[in-house]
Amino acid sequence: MTKKCINCGADTAKKLIDLGPQPPSNRYFSGIRESYDAHPIEFGICTTCGLAQLFNPMPADVVRSRFEWISYNEPEGHLDDLVETLAAKIDFSAKTHIVGVTYKDESILARFKRKGVADTYRLSQVDDLHIAEPLASLETIQHVLSPDVAATLASKIGQADILLVRHIIEHALEPRRLLEACRNLCKPGGLMVIEVPDCRKVLDGHDHCFLWEEHISYFTPKTLRVFFQGTGFNDVDIRIYSYPMEDSLVAIVHNVCTSPKQLEINTGKELARMERFVSTFSSRGMRIKQYLQALRSQGKRVALFGAGHLAAKFINFYGLAEYLMGVIDDNPNKIGLYMPGSKLPIIGSDCLMQGKIDLCLLTLNPESEKKVLKANAEYLTRGGKFRSIFSSSANSINQDVGDD
């Protein structure tokens, strides 16, 4: 059975895998008896436009965090280069009006300020979008920021010469609707700078834990271009900024809307990539489970390091909770809580030096992984072992369990 695509609207979105009811990855527990919301995670692809996507996404009020200390960081090593690229495309001055849509845009707005641009503005969730819920974030902004709301805002703050839209399109239940809202916030002929994750590395590495209720769309460079073509934006410069785990896709779009182009994409290649990704789910999960089961039979103790959403999905998707002692995280807000779904305890890293853990599985980005390895050199000297759960890591668990 096919479903309606959230991008092109065709009834050709094909479900590839159903991961069953899952809790929000930000739903930590203070006690193991607490109940939690759960919602199915269903993943597939549109065979017309090629966009990989979640079906029947988790409602915004369920996704919304219950903790003010939860935050997500995006890679920013490319932002200096991006500012210089934009400078070559538009002769900006102190009076150039640059608008950021969310808090994700604050760091690049700061770079423009250092370049002498005085007229910068970031939409206020309270004053501009009238979002009263203090813990609301992207899941709510994408819903509230409609084309009509954007048009009203543009009359208030002025249309932007450059509109910054980092890491929200992939959160949108209706990405074309959000793009139309962005168009209304930007001057005709102005630039919209839209950034999303490039999902190719994690898909090709069969890292299933990157499927996440908060990311609805999973773009590749080809499907991102098709996304703009289908909405009438044809003057699009897509740049790929490389990172070890997920590359960043940045589309610099001239706000000149013409007739939508016929979709030009080999959906067969996109479909083959997604089918390979889901076909390895059971075998990879089984190999990891058997590996951990063998360690347990030898009396070895295993924990994860990093109590974030990737760890939660890794544990819950593969059903690994019974083989783990807990999840290590030195964030004082997390210590003493329990993981979403699995209810594994979150503990401090002192357990490593106390000899309580034989294998520590890292759920960290490469920079954080290096810091943890350096800080725990003595743990390694004493015979402890680190492995990353990610295929792209040089220290991947694939060394022990194999890959597909």
Side-chain angles (χ1 to χ4, degrees):
M1 179 182 293
T2 58
K3 296 178 180 287
K4 186 174 182 178
C5 174
I6 62 170
N7 174 32
C8 70
D11 292 319
T12 54
K14 177 183 178 182
K15 183 168 73 174
L16 299 177
I17 191 169
D18 184 343
L19 295 167
Q22 298 290 333
S25 299
N26 56 29
R27 196 72 82 252
Y28 299 97
F29 303 101
S30 58
I32 60 173
R33 297 186 184 278
E34 288 185 37
S35 60
Y36 59 85
D37 297 311
H39 191 86
I41 291 187
E42 302 173 349
F43 175 75
I45 184 174
C46 177
T47 57
T48 297
C49 69
L51 181 65
Q53 57 199 269
L54 297 187
F55 300 150
N56 182 30
M58 193 176 288
D61 61 340
V62 178
V63 170
R64 188 177 303 126
S65 172
R66 304 316 193 239
F67 303 99
E68 62 182 9
W69 42 263
I70 290 181
S71 63
Y72 302 105
N73 299 315
E74 310 297 347
E76 295 190 348
H78 61 287
L79 294 186
D80 288 336
D81 179 80
L82 178 56
V83 169
E84 295 302 324
T85 298
L86 294 170
K89 290 180 176 289
I90 187 170
D91 186 19
F92 60 73
S93 66
K95 295 183 179 180
T96 303
H97 188 39
I98 303 179
V99 175
V101 171
T102 77
Y103 71 94
K104 299 278 189 179
D105 304 308
E106 288 181 350
S107 56
I108 191 168
L109 285 172
R111 284 169 168 81
F112 279 111
K113 289 179 182 178
R114 292 196 292 269
K115 284 280 188 181
V117 179
D119 190 6
T120 64
Y121 187 81
R122 202 263 284 180
L123 298 187
S124 165
Q125 290 188 192
V126 176
D127 297 333
D128 295 326
L129 300 176
H130 307 294
I131 298 172
E133 169 56 56
L135 296 180
S137 189
L138 304 180
E139 81 292 326
T140 306
I141 296 171
Q142 64 82 25
H143 173 70
V144 170
L145 188 56
S146 67
D148 287 344
V149 168
T152 300
L153 272 175
S155 66
K156 170 188 171 185
I157 66 172
Q159 289 181 306
D161 296 298
I162 300 176
L163 183 73
L164 305 171
V165 193
R166 297 190 67 229
H167 293 281
I168 186 172
I169 291 288
E170 67 270 25
H171 292 256
L173 299 180
E174 299 177 82
R176 287 195 178 189
R177 172 179 174 270
L178 183 56
L179 183 61
E180 178 67 15
C182 293
R183 186 184 74 84
N184 289 345
L185 285 171
C186 186
K187 288 180 181 177
L191 295 180
M192 297 187 292
V193 182
I194 296 173
E195 182 173 342
V196 298
D198 183 347
C199 71
R200 290 177 300 169
K201 284 183 178 177
V202 297
L203 291 171
D204 294 343
H206 309 144
D207 289 321
H208 306 102
C209 60
F210 275 84
L211 294 182
W212 185 34
E213 65 275 357
E214 295 198 39
H215 280 188
I216 313 302
S217 299
Y218 294 79
F219 289 100
T220 68
K222 288 183 179 179
T223 58
L224 184 60
R225 187 172 296 281
V226 167
F227 169 64
F228 290 112
Q229 288 176 342
T231 48
F233 293 99
N234 298 310
D235 189 355
V236 180
D237 176 11
I238 294 180
R239 298 183 173 238
I240 303 171
Y241 291 97
S242 182
Y243 288 95
M245 289 175 62
E246 270 187 316
D247 295 342
S248 285
L249 295 178
V250 178
I252 304 172
V253 186
H254 273 95
N255 189 17
V256 178
C257 197
T258 59
S259 298
K261 279 189 174 182
Q262 184 176 359
L263 303 180
E264 299 174 2
I265 186 171
N266 183 342
T267 57
K269 289 185 177 180
E270 298 293 330
L271 178 59
R273 168 178 275 130
M274 305 307 163
E275 287 181 333
R276 285 194 301 270
F277 173 72
V278 301
S279 70
T280 60
F281 177 81
S282 295
S283 59
R284 179 170 172 78
M286 183 58 66
R287 288 197 309 273
I288 293 173
K289 186 178 292 186
Q290 290 172 345
Y291 173 61
L292 298 181
Q293 191 174 37
L295 290 176
R296 185 177 65 176
S297 68
Q298 300 167 24
K300 303 292 185 181
R301 295 154 299 185
V302 183
L304 263 65
F305 198 117
H309 70 280
L310 294 170
K313 290 294 181 278
F314 180 77
I315 297 166
N316 294 338
F317 284 172
Y318 295 149
L320 304 178
E322 65 180 292
Y323 307 106
L324 302 169
M325 302 292 294
V327 180
I328 299 168
D329 200 304
D330 285 328
N331 183 333
N333 294 302
K334 293 182 180 180
I335 293 176
L337 297 179
Y338 297 85
M339 287 293 291
S342 67
K343 296 187 177 178
L344 285 167
I346 302 175
I347 54 182
S349 62
D350 52 353
C351 66
L352 296 175
M353 295 310 301
Q354 293 170 359
K356 297 179 180 179
I357 303 299
D358 299 292
L359 171 65
C360 186
L361 298 177
L362 302 171
T363 69
L364 310 171
N365 64 49
E367 289 185 3
S368 297
E369 181 177 322
K370 289 178 183 177
K371 292 177 182 178
V372 168
L373 293 175
K374 183 177 180 180
N376 292 280
E378 189 175 344
Y379 166 73
L380 294 170
T381 301
R382 292 182 178 185
K385 184 177 180 180
F386 283 115
R387 282 285 187 255
S388 171
I389 69 170
F390 305 124
S391 300
S392 60
S393 172
N395 193 36
S396 174
I397 193 175
N398 292 355
Q399 297 177 43
D400 299 320
V401 304
D403 58 33
D404 297 283

